[in-house]
Amino acid sequence: MNRTHSLALAGILALLFSGCATSTSPLPSPPSPPPAPHAIHPELWPPAAAPLPLDPVMERAIDDLLGRMTLEEKVGQVIQPSITTIKPEDVRTYKFGSVLNGGGGWPGDIRKATPADWLALADAFHEASMDTSGGRQAIPVIWGADAVHGHSNVIGATLFPHNVGLGAMKNPDLIRRIGEVTAAEMSVTGIDWNFSPTVAVALDDRWGRAYESYSEDLELVRVYAEEMVVGLQGSPNTDDFFSRGRVIATAKHFVGDGGTVGGKDQGDNVSTEAELRDIHAQGYYGAMRSAVQVVMASYNSWHGVKMHGNRALLTDVLRGRMGFDGIVVGDWNGHNQIPGCTNTSCAQAFNAGIDIFMVPEDWKGLYETTLAQVRSGEIRPERLDEAVRRILRVKMRAGLFTAGKPSERGFGGQFSRFGSPEHRAVARQAVRESLVLLKNDRGVLPLRPGARVLVAGDGANSIAKQSGGWTITWQGDGNENEDFPNATSIWDGLRTAVQAAGGRATLSSDGSYEEKPDVAVVVYGEDPYAEFQGDRRTIIFNAPRDLSLLQRLRADGIPVVSVFLSGRPLWVNPFLNDSDAFVAAWLPGSEGAGIADVLVAAPDGAVRHDFKGKLSFSWPKLPTQVVLNRGDSGYDPLFPLGFGLTYADRATLSRLPVDTAGISVSDSSAFYSGQPVPPWELVLSDSASVRFEREGQEGQAVHWTGPGEISLRSNEPVDLTRESNGNLALSVDLMRRSAIAGRVELAVGSGSVDITPLVRELPEGAWSTVRIRLRCFERAGADMRSIDRPLRIVSDAPLSLSFAEVRLVAGTDETPCP
Ligand code: BGC
Ligand code: BGC
């Protein structure tokens, strides 16, 4: 029997070895020297509107407090551990200035933790931070969380559409209201600080975080950033600023995250300085107009220099020119990616302008090193004071010194507000307004009163799928409908509305039926993902099962409405062709019922809610249009930015070309890269065991112990004929961890080769890259036209091996087959 392992485990390892070495040679370890920094000209960056001048009284209070703090207390302020690795006692001891929970970080590690549990832990942290025994200063700790589409780590929260959908609403007032509701639900649970909004301008839709971006249109991003921050924090210079139930906002990730080469998450942005300023920085200008109090540094590099170490941008530009006077927080172990840094030591990032280290697990080591670096002068005391001043300033502005403990301030403990009908109504409105109608031939929508409606597709009754990543768990995986007590699936909404209009709805996820329906609504699309796990090489939506479902229904003479769930525009020409109507529904969140509000007519046949959504990202005509943005030369989308039909439009979409010749339809060149590359999954035989090694941010290695087998498998086999003909090789980074007692085989599909001697030669405990040409597996019997297992390792005796990075690479003819 096989078990499928999902790799949503945390953490992750910077395996420094992609793309080097020939067969079985040990990997070179010394990284190449850092490139010389690309020049930045701060004088070319205009100042941001700064609505909030420094308050001299507050600054004097900060001077006074700084004067009373010990060095240890100051260093504690700049360290941010995860709530899953510390106890309130640690906050008392180390006087941490802040804590965080990441995606899938819950109080007590209990996923079902209630809002009351969150609040109780927030109180405990707060009380520990306010303890003045032994002459300590009382400085309230703040707790940050990713409430990126509602307070989504907490069961029962109102979940809004992800940003890609909010962009399609083009409704800044509603954005503000969404910020307000999100803040209110955070406040109920005692959390003070939101790591949101993401103000990236995503330019390459292959980026796994494209859905966190409001738009490719920088103006929309700028306006939304401004409004979202007002919603979260309140309006600066009014009584509303940090009034009851508001939280601290964060504009992230500074700067250029949406413009990396190939849409690679944490990759390199090679735009000009002017593009960086005029495109990628625009969201920060917007957020600063509403006095955003925190900016998060980005994992990405600019011309090869990681932002966490980029002093010119973090300090000279952001603080100096733009005039940002709040906190610059680092991203999750983002500092360790700077050459010379580790999780536990990085004066460079601090000196470059990071005020708070986000260091989920390794806080103790980092605290000690940072303290030593201040003592030795590697970090100047003035720089430490500057960072702490900013942290104290934000806490004072947010009123936290005097507000009492979380359960006594804001909406702390007002649990009836959490996932309340009023909040859900806001989310439902957002769902309605975000839907973009791309096709509606012969007016198949709205669904008529009295219709018999078949509701099909794997997204129809899956609140997890409609919610996407950053939902309860980091990747949004492992969730069931029961995990969403205050939510409706798309099916729930359709059933209710169809019945109310005198019709009958039937749920059948595979589309089978007994009585022929009048119309079918098929809900399908991308499965949840977050961050780099969502990176793709192609924008082709490749789902043969869904496509044949559409075709089957149409062959039976049933008009088909596609409701497409996705975090980005994808090339879906075959699906458009086989749909009578096509709705881009993005990742709507908890209010699936908002879809029926628009799709289903009233009992009298009237439209209840018309389509309002307009594309905030250009929709591709060709599978090669991976970077497609208004203003590009030769801009030729299928549907341009701003497109969206209404019920008044009588357009018919003619048949679209579906040619993908020469383009790999699935992401066939990488199978495992820090995690299984979808659609591949790890499968393990019962006699074997596996664990994942994590460290850093970039990936996890699989540590496998046999006898038995482990493989990467998908039920959507790929055709590797071209690759095999082209003499590509399977490349696996391997580490032998034990002696070899029996026979070891490596297989692609059903072609298996004996790698016992090869593995025996590998140095124990060190990484090596092993390359074997696909042709070797073909010779051994693999049918390259249909490969469902591009990697299978089998050992008949005990053996311990680690692997990482499994991909196809250019091979050489000379390498003999094993
Ligand atoms: C994410 C966190 C998540 C963690 C899991 C990080 O990269 O940002 O939110 O919880 O990985 O390891
Ligand atoms: C992500 C951030 C997030 C942080 C904390 C990081 O991996 O890049 O967006 O705020 O984790 O979860």
Side-chain angles (χ1 to χ4, degrees):
M1 287 304 102
N2 287 323
R3 290 165 296 171
T4 299
H5 286 263
S6 134
L7 262 190
L9 291 181
I12 328 234
L13 155 54
L15 300 164
L16 311 152
F17 39 73
S18 35
C20 37
T22 52
S23 308
T24 76
S25 55
L27 293 153
S29 33
S32 41
H38 217 71
I40 279 285
H41 306 85
E43 66 284 3
L44 300 180
W45 293 65
L52 212 59
L54 292 186
D55 170 353
V57 179
M58 187 184 288
E59 296 303 310
R60 272 199 301 279
I62 296 172
D63 289 336
D64 175 60
L65 185 48
L66 277 172
R68 283 181 282 124
M69 289 169 76
T70 62
L71 191 57
E72 287 79 359
E73 284 177 308
K74 291 178 184 175
V75 171
Q77 287 297 310
V78 309
I79 302 283
Q80 180 178 90
S82 156
I83 59 151
T84 55
T85 65
I86 57 159
K87 301 250 166 314
E89 213 28 58
D90 297 310
V91 171
R92 197 184 316 269
T93 309
Y94 295 94
K95 306 297 291 200
F96 295 127
S98 59
V99 297
L100 93 146
N101 70 282
W106 316 288
D109 252 337
I110 299 167
R111 148 205 183 86
K112 298 243 171 190
T114 62
D117 297 331
W118 286 76
L119 184 60
L121 185 58
D123 271 355
F125 284 137
H126 176 83
E127 276 163 13
S129 72
M130 299 305 274
D131 181 357
T132 52
S133 61
R136 296 184 178 90
Q137 304 304 316
I139 303 174
V141 66
I142 48 179
W143 177 343
D146 296 284
V148 297
H149 66 139
H151 194 9
S152 56
N153 286 287
V154 188
I155 299 263
T158 302
L159 302 178
F160 297 93
H162 272 295
N163 289 352
V164 61
L166 298 183
M169 306 186 312
K170 301 227 169 25
N171 185 343
D173 293 336
L174 193 52
I175 286 292
R176 192 181 329 128
R177 183 77 187 109
I178 289 170
E180 238 164 53
V181 170
T182 304
E185 295 201 2
M186 295 184 84
S187 170
V188 169
T189 63
I191 316 282
D192 326 281
W193 176 7
N194 193 353
F195 299 139
S196 169
T198 297
V199 300
V201 179
L203 298 181
D204 187 322
D205 300 338
R206 292 171 296 181
W207 186 32
R209 304 190 82 158
Y211 69 80
E212 296 187 54
S213 169
Y214 294 120
S215 182
E216 73 190 38
D217 174 3
L218 59 99
E219 271 150 48
L220 186 67
V221 171
R222 187 174 54 215
V223 171
Y224 267 28
E226 181 175 348
E227 295 299 333
M228 183 53 103
V229 172
V230 172
L232 291 167
Q233 298 186 159
S235 270
N237 297 317
T238 69
D239 289 347
D240 185 33
F241 196 52
F242 287 110
S243 58
R244 204 173 154 85
R246 305 285 185 174
V247 299
I248 299 162
T250 309
K252 72 185 186 184
H253 310 83
F254 190 81
V255 61
D257 51 353
T260 58
V261 175
K264 185 172 167 12
D265 193 40
Q266 311 187 5
D268 193 16
N269 183 316
V270 294
S271 61
T272 63
E273 181 178 4
E275 288 163 341
L276 201 60
R277 179 192 63 206
D278 300 341
I279 301 174
H280 301 289
Q282 286 306 308
Y284 301 88
Y285 281 101
M288 283 177 68
R289 284 179 78 97
S290 337
V292 70
Q293 290 299 295
V294 183
V295 166
M296 188 185 291
S298 187
Y299 281 124
N300 69 266
S301 314
W302 188 63
H303 291 276
V305 176
K306 283 280 171 186
M307 278 304 305
H308 278 66
N310 196 321
R311 196 189 141 86
L313 283 163
L314 293 180
T315 296
D316 304 344
V317 168
L318 180 60
R319 294 156 144 83
R321 284 298 294 180
M322 295 175 73
F324 179 65
D325 64 11
I327 301 168
V328 178
V329 66
D331 202 343
W332 181 286
N333 284 334
H335 54 277
N336 88 347
Q337 299 186 3
I338 301 174
C341 288
T342 62
N343 282 354
T344 55
S345 170
C346 196
Q348 294 94 310
F350 196 74
N351 288 335
I354 301 284
D355 299 311
I356 295 181
F357 287 108
M358 188 186 289
V359 56
E361 290 143 353
D362 300 305
W363 47 270
K364 191 150 192 232
L366 185 62
Y367 170 86
E368 280 159 6
T369 332
T370 307
L371 196 57
Q373 285 163 341
V374 181
R375 291 200 173 116
S376 75
E378 200 177 337
I379 291 174
R380 287 178 307 112
E382 302 79 51
R383 168 66 193 115
L384 179 63
D385 280 357
E386 193 232 336
V388 177
R389 171 179 296 279
R390 287 165 175 268
I391 297 165
L392 299 176
R393 183 184 291 145
V394 170
K395 292 179 179 186
M396 285 186 190
R397 282 178 173 162
L400 293 170
F401 275 88
T402 49
K405 58 183 179 179
S407 60
E408 285 164 0
R409 67 186 182 223
F411 297 140
Q414 299 185 19
F415 299 120
S416 62
R417 287 182 189 265
F418 201 77
S420 70
E422 192 196 337
H423 289 177
R424 294 182 55 193
V426 176
R428 186 159 166 173
Q429 181 186 350
V431 174
R432 287 197 292 267
E433 296 193 14
S434 63
L435 303 178
V436 181
L437 182 62
L438 297 180
K439 178 176 183 180
N440 192 19
D441 282 6
R442 298 180 313 281
V444 51
L445 286 175
L447 303 177
R448 315 264 182 280
R452 285 163 308 165
V453 182
L454 181 73
V455 181
D458 68 353
N461 194 29
S462 169
I463 302 172
K465 182 151 176 155
Q466 79 198 29
S467 298
W470 296 107
T471 302
I472 308 176
T473 59
W474 177 33
Q475 293 294 320
D477 57 347
N479 298 325
E480 303 294 338
N481 281 1
E482 304 81 81
D483 296 322
F484 300 92
N486 302 318
T488 48
S489 71
I490 295 171
W491 153 247
D492 292 329
L494 286 169
R495 180 188 46 198
T496 309
V498 168
Q499 275 169 10
R504 204 167 67 232
T506 317
L507 176 68
S508 158
S509 111
D510 66 0
S512 57
Y513 57 84
E514 268 151 33
E515 191 192 342
K516 185 174 166 189
D518 300 317
V519 57
V521 178
V522 186
V523 188
Y524 58 95
E526 290 191 296
D527 286 324
Y529 53 79
E531 299 191 42
F532 51 87
Q533 298 206 25
D535 283 1
R536 299 286 177 267
R537 301 233 164 151
T538 163
I539 50 158
I540 297 176
F541 178 65
N542 178 29
R545 191 195 52 197
D546 297 321
L547 187 61
S548 58
L549 173 55
L550 306 185
Q551 288 166 345
R552 207 162 11 99
L553 292 165
R554 296 239 300 177
D556 291 353
I558 303 163
V560 170
V561 176
S562 280
V563 173
F564 186 59
L565 300 173
S566 74
R568 46 189 149 194
L570 290 170
W571 185 79
V572 289
N573 285 8
F575 298 82
L576 281 160
N577 285 342
D578 281 311
S579 305
D580 297 277
F582 193 101
V583 179
W586 316 110
L587 299 168
S590 64
E591 305 316 306
I595 290 178
D597 290 347
V598 181
L599 265 53
V600 184
D604 64 0
V607 167
R608 295 187 301 153
H609 295 274
D610 203 345
F611 281 91
K612 284 196 175 159
K614 305 288 175 204
L615 292 179
S616 63
F617 286 90
S618 306
W619 200 286
K621 178 186 275 181
L622 301 170
T624 45
Q625 289 173 323
V626 290
V627 179
L628 176 68
N629 301 296
R630 186 183 59 187
D632 291 353
S633 71
Y635 181 63
D636 183 24
L638 180 60
F639 304 114
L641 191 75
F643 181 86
L645 299 171
T646 67
Y647 280 131
D649 293 309
R650 291 271 166 265
T652 300
L653 188 66
S654 46
R655 211 169 165 79
L656 302 164
V658 296
D659 188 18
T660 55
I663 297 154
S664 152
V665 222
S666 85
D667 217 354
S668 57
S669 59
F671 306 111
Y672 189 93
S673 181
Q675 72 272 342
V677 176
W680 308 106
E681 294 181 285
L682 280 176
V683 179
L684 191 65
S685 69
D686 259 347
S687 52
S689 69
V690 75
R691 62 189 183 75
F692 301 99
E693 291 158 345
R694 29 182 296 185
E695 192 192 302
Q697 185 72 26
E698 238 114 85
Q700 305 184 59
V702 178
H703 179 171
W704 173 76
T705 305
E709 63 175 83
I710 184 164
S711 57
L712 283 162
R713 186 191 65 187
S714 155
N715 39 26
E716 292 164 29
V718 286
D719 181 349
L720 297 181
T721 326
R722 220 163 34 97
E723 285 78 354
S724 185
N725 287 345
N727 204 25
L728 294 196
L730 180 73
S731 164
V732 187
D733 288 330
L734 268 187
M735 190 197 289
R736 183 167 63 81
R737 317 187 65 126
S738 70
I740 296 212
R743 179 183 161 95
V744 194
E745 287 183 9
L746 179 66
V748 170
S750 45
S752 174
V753 300
D754 181 358
I755 55 164
T756 320
L758 192 154
V759 174
R760 188 170 295 128
E761 306 261 273
L762 297 179
E764 192 166 338
W767 286 103
S768 310
T769 298
V770 169
R771 289 182 180 174
I772 301 176
R773 285 176 299 134
L774 283 178
R775 211 165 276 167
C776 303
F777 301 100
E778 198 170 4
R779 278 184 206 144
D783 176 3
M784 287 296 162
R785 285 165 307 173
S786 177
I787 297 293
D788 62 350
R789 289 177 195 241
L791 173 97
R792 190 157 60 94
I793 301 174
V794 189
S795 170
D796 60 5
L799 173 67
S800 188
L801 272 184
S802 289
F803 71 81
E805 291 298 330
V806 181
R807 55 177 66 249
L808 297 182
V809 297
T812 52
D813 258 333
E814 300 79 71
T815 336
C817 291

